């Protein structure tokens, strides 16, 4: 069964600090891994997307890494801001050629940035 | 236009009502999705339309009825819902390309549904 596990479940950090969120997955066949940011009551917004051959990708203060051998990914947030407070969801696609992609969602990490 | 729009933003309905949720995208995407998300849980896939045909139904109760009138529109018709159906309903779309590609899904802001 395809699974995506994230840790920690929740995290509180001070504004300006860095943090790293973890994602482990068992999804086959692997297509790509995405990190989404979801504000409460809103739809997820894509931060990064990586395929098997990519091991790091940045989007502003967000940097995602992927180790396809160990099936692990991380999302590093630098110089956190209050607006970073949200749920961060790791999503792995087990897409197959010719079909709509089917995603396996992690349960998310709820990040709270405080003053 | 790189946006998926959903209407209404909020919906309150009784268990005997019939209502519809609407989703629209103008990115030329040929795959569209409905998800249900309960509080503090990840989205759960309900339906997938590929080239305007229903390709995946995740054993969703028949009180939820999807419809894809054209490649830009996706509806979800609701009838005789239960209070436990209250949730955030998310629509998403992705580009169908061959061979295997990113197929990145773009999500709408969601409709917050409350069933009384």
């Amino acid at each position: 069964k395809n699974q995506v596990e994230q840790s920690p479940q929740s995290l509180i950090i001070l504004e300006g600090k860095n943090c790293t969120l973890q994602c482990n997955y068992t999804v086959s066949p692997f297509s790509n891994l995405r990190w989404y940011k979801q504000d409460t009551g809103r739809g997820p917004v894509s931060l990064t997307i990586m395929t098997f051959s990519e091991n790091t990708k940045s989007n502003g203060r967000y940097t995602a890494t992927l180790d396809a051998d160990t099936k692990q990914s991380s999302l590093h947030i630098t110089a956190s801001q209050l607006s970073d407070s949200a749920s961060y969801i790791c999503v792995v696609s087990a897409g197959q050629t010719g079909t709509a992609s089917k995603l396996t969602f992690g349960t998310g990490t709820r990040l709270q940035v405080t003053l | 236009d790189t946006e998926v729009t959903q209407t209404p933003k909020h919906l309150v309905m009784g268990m005997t009502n019939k209502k519809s949720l609407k989703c629209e995208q103008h990115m030329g995407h040929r795959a569209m999705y409905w998800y249900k998300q309960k509080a503090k849980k990840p989205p759960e896939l309900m339906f997938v339309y590929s080239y305007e045909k229903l390709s995946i139904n995740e054993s969703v109760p028949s009180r939820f009825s999807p419809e894809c009138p054209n490649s830009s529109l996706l509806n979800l018709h609701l009838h005789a819902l239960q209070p436990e159906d209250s949730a955030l309903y998310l629509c998403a779309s992705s580009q169908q390309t061959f061979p295997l590609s990113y197929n990145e899904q773009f999500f709408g802001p969601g409709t917050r549904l409350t069933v009384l």
Side-chain angles (χ1 to χ4, degrees):
Chain A
K1 181 183 176 184
N2 290 338
Q3 284 189 314
V4 176
E5 295 180 352
Q6 291 186 244
S7 62
Q9 202 171 38
S10 61
L11 183 61
I12 301 175
I13 62 172
L14 292 175
E15 186 182 28
K17 298 295 187 184
N18 303 336
C19 66
T20 300
L21 314 180
Q22 301 291 343
C23 172
N24 297 334
Y25 63 91
T26 53
V27 174
S28 180
F30 176 84
S31 172
N32 57 71
L33 184 145
R34 315 119 185 260
W35 283 94
Y36 282 92
K37 177 186 178 186
Q38 185 176 23
D39 294 311
T40 302
R42 305 288 294 175
V45 174
S46 179
L47 295 175
T48 64
I49 182 168
M50 290 181 291
T51 59
F52 183 87
S53 59
E54 297 173 296
N55 55 25
T56 187
K57 186 164 279 190
S58 292
N59 177 1
R61 295 180 296 103
Y62 302 103
T63 299
T65 65
L66 173 65
D67 185 334
D69 292 330
T70 61
K71 295 183 168 56
Q72 295 179 325
S73 176
S74 66
L75 180 69
H76 186 73
I77 305 174
T78 58
S80 61
Q81 300 175 358
L82 296 177
S83 58
D84 293 332
S85 297
S87 286
Y88 291 83
I89 307 174
C90 176
V91 184
V92 181
S93 174
Q96 299 169 347
T97 301
T99 68
S101 61
K102 191 168 178 182
L103 306 181
T104 302
F105 288 78
T107 53
T109 292
R110 283 181 290 283
L111 174 66
Q112 184 177 350
V113 180
T114 65
L115 292 171
Chain B
D1 187 354
T2 58
E3 196 179 32
V4 177
T5 59
Q6 290 186 241
T7 56
K9 285 188 178 180
H10 303 276
L11 178 62
V12 180
M13 60 185 290
M15 289 190 285
T16 58
N17 292 156
K18 284 186 181 180
K19 296 287 184 183
S20 296
L21 308 184
K22 296 185 185 304
C23 173
E24 192 166 358
Q25 57 87 15
H26 295 287
M27 295 178 277
H29 291 173
R30 301 311 298 270
M32 296 186 77
Y33 311 75
W34 279 116
Y35 290 87
K36 173 184 177 181
Q37 186 177 25
K38 302 285 273 185
K40 298 184 180 180
K41 298 287 187 183
E44 297 175 8
L45 184 65
M46 300 174 71
F47 302 103
V48 181
Y49 272 82
S50 181
Y51 289 91
E52 297 150 54
K53 287 186 175 11
L54 184 64
S55 63
I56 296 175
N57 176 342
E58 292 288 309
S59 301
V60 179
S62 60
R63 57 186 184 269
F64 295 92
S65 174
E67 178 197 18
C68 190
N70 60 56
S71 60
S72 299
L73 293 174
L74 184 67
N75 298 322
L76 185 63
H77 303 297
L78 314 172
H79 174 55
L81 294 194
Q82 304 296 312
E84 59 265 28
D85 296 322
S86 299
L88 181 69
Y89 288 83
L90 295 165
C91 173
S93 70
S94 69
Q95 187 174 17
Q96 286 289 117
T97 58
F98 304 89
L100 193 63
S101 70
Y102 280 145
N103 272 341
E104 180 174 2
Q105 291 189 18
F106 293 81
F107 286 83
T111 292
R112 172 68 62 189
L113 174 67
T114 302
V115 182
L116 301 176

